[in-house]
Amino acid sequence: VRLPMTATKGHIPGALGIDVRAWGDAFAKGESAEAWSRRLAAAGIDPDRPIVVYGDPKTSDVGRVWWWLRYWGVKDVRILDG
């Protein structure tokens, strides 16, 4: 999962982008597990496959996305540092 970054600097080819703000709003509103299952599927995330999260190191977005994915049942979520 790729968090939004400027242009393509630091982009890993084939990485998927997500809207962190929309995910945060959905979590704050208490969306159901079923809604999150659809949200993850729409983002191209398979909870049975390893996920690597990376993005702007100046924000806490990477950690938040890691936490949301773990909360909603993705077992193998990793953070790319650097």
Side-chain angles (χ1 to χ4, degrees):
V1 173
R2 177 185 65 82
L3 304 183
M5 299 181 83
T6 58
T8 58
K9 182 179 179 184
H11 175 69
I12 297 173
L16 306 170
I18 62 156
D19 183 342
V20 177
R21 178 172 287 160
W23 280 32
D25 290 346
F27 193 80
K29 291 177 186 174
E31 276 193 359
S32 68
E34 182 178 297
W36 273 93
S37 179
R38 288 190 305 270
R39 180 178 300 280
L40 296 178
I45 296 172
D46 179 347
D48 296 323
R49 298 192 62 195
I51 303 294
V52 177
V53 180
Y54 73 98
D56 187 345
K58 297 175 186 171
T59 72
S60 60
D61 290 346
V62 171
R64 291 174 65 208
V65 170
W66 177 90
W67 190 87
W68 290 325
L69 291 170
R70 293 287 297 154
Y71 184 88
W72 291 114
V74 180
K75 301 286 188 237
D76 190 0
V77 183
R78 300 162 191 228
I79 294 175
L80 176 62
D81 183 14

